[in-house]
Amino acid sequence: HVQLVESGGGSVQAGGSLKLSCVAYKYTGRSFCLIWFRQAPGQEREGVARIRAGGCKTYYGDSAYADSVKGRFTVSQDGADNTVYLNMNSLEPTDTAMHYCAATPGCGCGLTEDSFEDPLVYWGQGTQVTVS
């Protein structure tokens, strides 16, 4: 079965940077979206970055960002090993949250689950980001 594994979280001071990785094991679909979500204690889960990948030729590499991270975060994919990265710069205390990687088949996807073309969603276990 598909397994998503995140890594790269940690504790940094405000203004610092972190790079998160999400590896999609055993994902054999031709077209898919990978989305980074985050959830802080007591807050709703928020989609922060999305990339269309694989067979989404028309939109390959098309990325989207939440306003809260635009200009500071960059999402990218290494197609060779099904890994997606989230480069986070100029981190702020408000970025403190558990960060999750999610994958869904198809090319139709926004930053919210109700925007996904396919109801099937795979989730990783999350990696904690703490900014002080």
Side-chain angles (χ1 to χ4, degrees), residues 23-45:
V23 181
Y25 294 100
K26 300 183 180 179
Y27 191 91
T28 58
R30 293 185 63 241
S31 304
F32 57 97
C33 294
L34 278 139
I35 307 94
W36 284 99
F37 286 86
R38 68 184 182 186
Q39 188 167 22
Q43 303 291 320
E44 292 189 356
R45 188 162 56 197

Side-chain angles (χ1 to χ4, degrees), residues 71-103:
R72 300 187 298 121
F73 290 11
T74 303
V75 61
S76 60
Q77 188 216 4
D78 182 342
D81 61 3
N82 257 9
T83 301
V84 173
Y85 303 97
L86 185 66
N87 277 285
M88 306 186 296
N89 298 313
S90 302
L91 284 163
E92 303 166 353
T94 51
D95 295 317
T96 296
M98 184 70 79
H99 285 65
Y100 301 89
C101 174

Side-chain angles (χ1 to χ4, degrees), residues 50 53 66 126:
R50 176 219 64 205

Side-chain angles (χ1 to χ4, degrees), residues 4 16 19 26 34 41 53 56 58 65 77 81 103 111 114 125-126:
L4 302 180
K19 181 177 182 179
K26 300 183 180 179
L34 278 139
C56 300
T58 303
Y65 301 93
Q77 188 216 4
D81 61 3
L111 292 174
D114 59 9
Q125 83 289 350

